[in-house]
Amino acid sequence: MAHIALYRTWRPQSFQDMVGQKHIVQTLQNSLREGRFSHAYLFSGPRGTGKTSAAKILAKAVNCQNGPGIEPCNRCEACRRITDGSVMDVVEIDAASNRGVEEIRDIRDKVKYAPTEVRQKVYIIDEVHMLTTEAFNALLKTLEEPPAHVMFILATTEPHRLPATIISRCQRFDFRRVALEEQAERLRRVCGEEGIAIDEEAVAFIARLSDGGMRDALSLLDQIIAFSGEKITYEDVLSITGGMASDQFEKLARVIQDRDIGAALKLIDAFMQEGKSADKCMENLIYYFRDLLMVRMVPNSEALTERILDIRRFTAVAEGFAPEALISMIDTLNYYQTEMKYSVQPQTLLEVAVMKLCSGGGAPGRAGQPAGGPEAAAASPAGGGERQDALVAQLLGRIERLEGQLAAIVKQGGVPAANTPGTGGAAARPSAAQTAASSRKTLEKADAYIAGRETPEFREAAQRWSQVLGRVKDLKITVHAWLVDGEPVARADSNLLVAFKSAMHRETSERPANKQLIEQAMQEVLGHPYRLVTVMLKDWQAAAEGSKQPEAPKEELQLVAEEEPGGPVKEEWINEAIQLFGEDLVKIKDE
């Protein structure tokens, strides 16, 4: 016999089997007991929380031959056939693939006919938010006043995408994520019935990974059973899911606390060698420091003791960090997690983030030590004179390095689109004055670039630019969408000048990760390394035109008054000359 997935085998067949939705079960059972069920229901909530299962249970309850009752009997022919999906009067529609107006018109035409097999005709429309606007309009009148023998049950994970006119015609029930303990209890029951021995830590970890979705938890358990057999350990769960044990993060937190960059990088390398992905490591690391912050701020919360397996170990680690430091660290990690989405080297960004935490950028301070790195420590009166001198020297060195980097950027003619946090306010995001100064520097070098337009190397680069764009598109299509706005206009040394019509496209292409990818594509296509330098197209055109037409000196007109014999200078001539040429170009001399 073919294997049936656990989430299908253990799909709830009655209201009492549903997990974590007590408020919805009680409301539906009360309405069934009193015979006050509605003609239209809207079930909304996250995936895997029981929306479709509740809809089918409700359909069985209103059509049970021993009912209607608060529970379907699941023994009569109507209940068994509805479970199998063989009753023509209980129709389950996937709106994701039947989203057009024609399908809804077909329903509208058929609802007027009485049911032939059961007492109530039920339409279950899953993922109803996928219907088109025309389909919703076709459904409106039928949904508001259907025949007495028809019931509609709409299910969706995105209720905000439904028109208000649809929502107002339904009784709405919001399904919530299943609590961790309720999920764990359900997993223990499933494992007991299936004859599977499982560790408590493994149960808790599976429940935590499913993020409140019971179906996800059962699917994950099914996968782990295929890997482990009849005995599931915590290590098996970590191995099959690619997760990391909290003690590994505890080691990383300790070395960050000790500012040991070498040990931190060794741990990151060990994670990568074990096959962990950098983005998953970053996500789990953020969760770990979030839990440390919660333990530090709300030490006796029941929600924390439910989520964290060993609260005492977390407390011991959390006591070594100041709350402000943990907040700063989470902020830094979140920044690099966002940058990872656009990077071709996510592991490098993970390593940079951890090094920044170790070296003081969003750095942790031990309890009692000022958080925020050397700057805060320098401001603290607790340090001695030698320590303060060393910190001042460190700050001066950092300022000198930043000034050198800024000077190099201006000299090369580029403008930094954005910088990483903690590098100083002057270099983090260029002001309008800095952008203008950089543009002037680029234009001052226009002669070198204009001369480079006639070289064979530039002509080759211009001819093969479409191939460069194609290669960038292969590497990352989002970068191609920004770069396609630019075109190569000149070359100087190993710099390729690309002019952009849009400032936003230019700034996004100048981001470090995007620029590195573009330069990689240029090297692959053109055969030798080029450095990307950008400029606005209007600035380049102005510079190119200025080089062709040197500014001619202004010609000054001198108006010499003509004297009439024995008469004064005629003022109307002067006024007319000023109106024609302007006061700047008219000079009056008395002779």
Side-chain angles (χ1 to χ4, degrees):
M1 182 177 178
H3 171 71
I4 300 177
L6 283 181
Y7 79 86
R8 293 178 57 196
T9 304
W10 287 89
R11 168 171 284 187
Q13 299 300 326
S14 61
F15 286 120
Q16 65 181 2
D17 291 337
M18 293 189 63
V19 181
Q21 311 299 339
K22 185 177 179 181
H23 62 297
I24 294 175
V25 169
Q26 182 176 342
T27 306
L28 291 176
Q29 286 184 330
N30 289 343
S31 64
L32 287 166
R33 183 185 294 111
E34 299 172 9
R36 298 179 59 182
F37 42 85
S38 175
H39 66 279
Y41 293 91
L42 173 62
F43 292 167
S44 64
R47 69 181 189 278
T49 52
K51 299 183 294 297
T52 307
S53 297
K56 297 188 74 170
I57 294 169
L58 181 59
K60 288 191 292 184
V62 298
N63 287 308
C64 180
Q65 293 176 355
N66 299 318
I70 61 173
E71 291 281 7
C73 69
N74 287 319
R75 293 187 301 273
C76 67
E77 183 179 3
C79 288
R80 287 188 281 107
R81 292 187 63 205
I82 291 174
T83 301
D84 296 338
S86 58
V87 175
M88 296 180 61
D89 295 319
V90 177
V91 183
E92 188 172 354
I93 302 170
D94 176 23
S97 54
N98 299 277
R99 59 193 304 261
V101 67
E102 293 301 327
E103 289 85 352
I104 301 302
R105 284 175 179 166
D106 184 59
I107 294 174
R108 188 182 61 186
D109 294 339
K110 290 180 179 178
V111 292
K112 54 188 167 185
Y113 300 114
T116 58
E117 299 179 85
V118 290
R119 70 172 67 92
Q120 192 87 5
K121 184 176 285 190
V122 181
Y123 288 93
I124 302 172
I125 306 179
D126 200 10
E127 301 297 336
V128 69
H129 63 272
M130 297 295 291
L131 291 180
T132 62
T133 302
E134 294 77 8
F136 276 125
N137 293 336
L139 183 63
L140 275 177
K141 192 63 179 177
T142 304
L143 194 64
E144 183 176 24
E145 297 177 357
H149 56 263
V150 174
M151 175 186 292
F152 285 94
I153 305 176
L154 314 180
T156 178
T157 56
E158 302 181 37
H160 59 278
R161 293 178 58 182
L162 269 65
T165 49
I166 293 289
I167 297 175
S168 65
R169 287 165 168 78
C170 304
Q171 282 192 13
R172 177 172 173 174
F173 292 86
D174 290 322
F175 286 67
R176 51 193 177 209
R177 298 184 188 277
V178 182
L180 208 65
E181 185 53 43
E182 289 179 304
Q183 279 188 308
E185 182 61 33
R186 181 73 166 182
L187 291 173
R188 293 188 199 100
R189 180 185 171 191
V190 170
C191 289
E193 295 287 338
E194 296 288 334
I196 304 297
I198 186 169
D199 294 346
E200 280 300 315
E201 288 186 345
V203 170
F205 194 76
I206 294 173
R208 182 171 179 174
L209 285 181
S210 63
D211 197 23
M214 197 66 241
R215 183 175 63 223
D216 291 354
L218 290 173
S219 296
L220 188 56
L221 177 62
D222 204 3
Q223 182 181 359
I224 295 168
I225 290 174
F227 173 77
S228 303
E230 297 182 355
K231 172 66 176 176
I232 298 177
T233 64
Y234 181 50
E235 289 73 21
D236 292 337
V237 177
L238 293 176
S239 177
I240 195 66
T241 61
M244 284 169 286
S246 59
D247 59 344
Q248 292 178 298
F249 285 118
E250 181 180 340
K251 293 177 184 177
L252 185 56
R254 294 291 189 188
V255 298
I256 289 175
Q257 196 176 65
D258 296 333
R259 303 184 186 277
D260 189 345
I261 295 179
L265 293 179
K266 285 182 181 179
L267 285 173
I268 297 296
D269 185 63
F271 293 161
M272 299 300 105
Q273 294 297 326
E274 292 173 7
K276 317 299 184 188
S277 63
D279 55 345
K280 199 68 177 177
C281 285
M282 184 74 82
E283 178 184 348
N284 290 335
L285 192 58
I286 292 174
Y287 275 128
Y288 182 82
F289 281 110
R290 177 262 181 198
D291 289 341
L292 288 180
L293 180 62
M294 293 298 105
V295 169
R296 195 81 168 84
M297 303 294 288
V298 196
N300 298 318
S301 173
E302 293 182 1
L304 289 175
T305 56
E306 179 188 75
R307 178 183 174 90
I308 299 172
L309 301 179
D310 191 347
I311 190 68
R312 289 176 297 180
R313 292 180 64 177
F314 263 80
T315 303
V317 177
E319 287 176 351
F321 293 90
E324 296 82 2
L326 289 171
I327 293 172
S328 178
M329 294 165 69
I330 293 172
D331 189 44
T332 300
L333 292 172
N334 183 65
Y335 170 84
Y336 281 103
Q337 185 186 36
T338 304
E339 289 296 310
M340 267 187 180
K341 299 175 184 177
Y342 310 104
S343 175
V344 293
Q345 295 291 339
Q347 180 181 342
T348 302
L349 286 183
L350 175 61
E351 293 169 343
V352 169
V354 172
M355 285 191 289
K356 184 171 285 293
L357 298 186
C358 290
S359 62
R366 291 189 181 276
Q369 176 182 338
E375 294 85 347
S380 173
E386 294 182 0
R387 181 181 176 187
Q388 288 186 354
D389 291 343
L391 290 173
V392 169
Q394 182 180 355
L395 290 173
L396 291 174
R398 179 180 295 182
I399 292 171
E400 186 178 351
R401 287 195 300 272
L402 288 174
E403 290 176 345
Q405 293 173 2
L406 184 59
I409 290 172
V410 172
K411 183 178 179 181
Q412 292 164 356
V415 181
N419 216 324
T420 55
T423 56
R429 190 171 296 276
S431 65
Q434 290 172 328
T435 305
S438 177
S439 296
R440 286 195 298 270
K441 282 289 185 180
T442 302
L443 297 179
E444 288 173 7
K445 298 174 64 177
D447 291 342
Y449 283 111
I450 290 171
R453 290 188 302 179
E454 306 301 326
T455 61
E457 292 83 358
F458 172 70
R459 287 196 292 269
E460 179 189 4
Q463 290 171 358
R464 304 185 66 181
W465 183 247
S466 60
Q467 299 177 31
V468 174
L469 290 175
R471 180 55 183 155
V472 171
K473 187 175 183 179
D474 293 339
L475 293 173
K476 196 164 190 178
I477 193 169
T478 53
V479 179
H480 171 267
W482 301 111
L483 183 62
V484 75
D485 181 66
E487 59 175 314
V489 293
R491 173 187 174 275
D493 299 329
S494 60
N495 298 337
L496 186 63
L497 185 65
V498 178
F500 285 83
K501 301 174 185 175
S502 166
M504 181 177 67
H505 288 69
R506 177 194 179 191
E507 291 175 4
T508 309
S509 300
E510 277 277 8
R511 286 183 180 174
N514 297 346
K515 187 175 181 180
Q516 178 184 356
L517 185 142
I518 294 168
E519 290 174 348
Q520 175 188 340
M522 289 194 297
Q523 181 173 0
E524 292 179 5
V525 173
L526 302 177
H528 47 274
Y530 274 105
R531 181 180 175 278
L532 176 66
V533 179
T534 66
V535 72
M536 294 303 298
L537 182 59
K538 59 182 181 181
D539 295 337
W540 167 252
Q541 290 174 342
E545 289 298 325
S547 67
K548 293 178 182 178
Q549 300 175 358
E551 185 178 357
K554 290 184 178 179
E555 183 178 344
E556 187 179 85
L557 298 180
Q558 295 185 1
L559 184 62
V560 179
E562 183 178 344
E563 295 183 1
E564 293 184 357
V569 177
K570 293 188 177 181
E571 296 291 338
E572 60 269 16
W573 295 356
I574 299 175
N575 294 334
E576 186 176 355
I578 291 174
Q579 289 177 2
L580 286 174
F581 302 103
E583 293 181 352
D584 295 339
L585 299 179
V586 175
K587 188 173 182 181
I588 302 172
K589 289 185 177 181
D590 293 330
E591 292 185 357

